[in-house]
Amino acid sequence: MRAPVGTRTPQRGADREWAVQQLATKYRNPAQGPDAAAHRLHEEFVTSPVFTGRWTRTPHSGHEGWRYAHRITVQPSCLACHAPKDERPAFVKKDHPEDRAYGFGDGNLQGVHTVFVPDTSVEDEF
């Protein structure tokens, strides 16, 4: 079985010192809760369903850089684990007792994937 996107994604940017995250306000893993800048981005995605991605200049973990955010739209296949609370699979209920990532419908905004690229990472490339 492949690991969930939220588990695999951070590993992809680690070798470049990029911060790669899956963030949501209704999260399963508390580490996926948005920081203040990501929360503002999330709200932009909520208010504009056609908004798919955005670059912003922002600090992260004491570094200046750029953050790209891309919307995560709920697909029908997502609903097996993210539909009504009482319909979640037993393993989700067991493994994630503080789960907040339920109650979605097809097409809803689930969260955002973000990539933070620190200025130092870009400077090292040139």
Side-chain angles (χ1 to χ4, degrees), residues 6-103:
T7 302
R8 292 190 326 259
T9 313
Q11 297 165 356
R12 297 191 183 229
D15 60 334
R16 293 187 174 103
E17 296 182 3
W18 297 1
V20 181
Q21 299 171 289
Q22 177 179 329
L23 303 169
T25 56
K26 290 176 63 175
Y27 48 81
R28 180 158 292 146
N29 176 348
Q32 294 176 340
D35 59 26
H39 189 73
R40 286 189 296 276
L41 281 168
H42 190 276
E43 290 304 310
E44 288 183 40
F45 285 100
V46 168
T47 59
S48 181
V50 297
F51 190 50
T52 58
R54 184 169 198 278
W55 283 97
T56 57
R57 183 91 178 132
T58 185
H60 181 73
S61 299
H63 300 282
E64 290 294 322
W66 290 92
R67 177 184 258 169
Y68 179 72
H70 189 270
R71 85 180 297 118
I72 303 170
T73 302
V74 175
Q75 304 296 314
S77 60
C78 304
L79 298 176
C81 295
H82 294 284
K85 184 177 184 176
D86 59 340
E87 294 178 17
R88 295 171 303 151
F91 79 91
V92 170
K93 294 176 189 177
K94 176 184 169 285
D95 295 345
H96 304 282
E98 302 298 320
D99 181 22
R100 300 169 72 184
Y102 57 82

Side-chain angles (χ1 to χ4, degrees), residues 16-18 57 63-66 117-126:
R16 293 187 174 103
E17 296 182 3
W18 297 1
R57 183 91 178 132
H63 300 282
E64 290 294 322
W66 290 92
V117 180
D119 290 343
T120 54
S121 179
V122 176
E123 291 167 2
D124 291 345
E125 296 290 325
F126 297 101

Side-chain angles (χ1 to χ4, degrees), residues 102-123:
Y102 57 82
F104 291 102
D106 185 21
N108 289 159
L109 173 69
Q110 191 278 330
V112 293
H113 285 127
T114 66
V115 178
F116 176 79
V117 180
D119 290 343
T120 54
S121 179
V122 176
E123 291 167 2

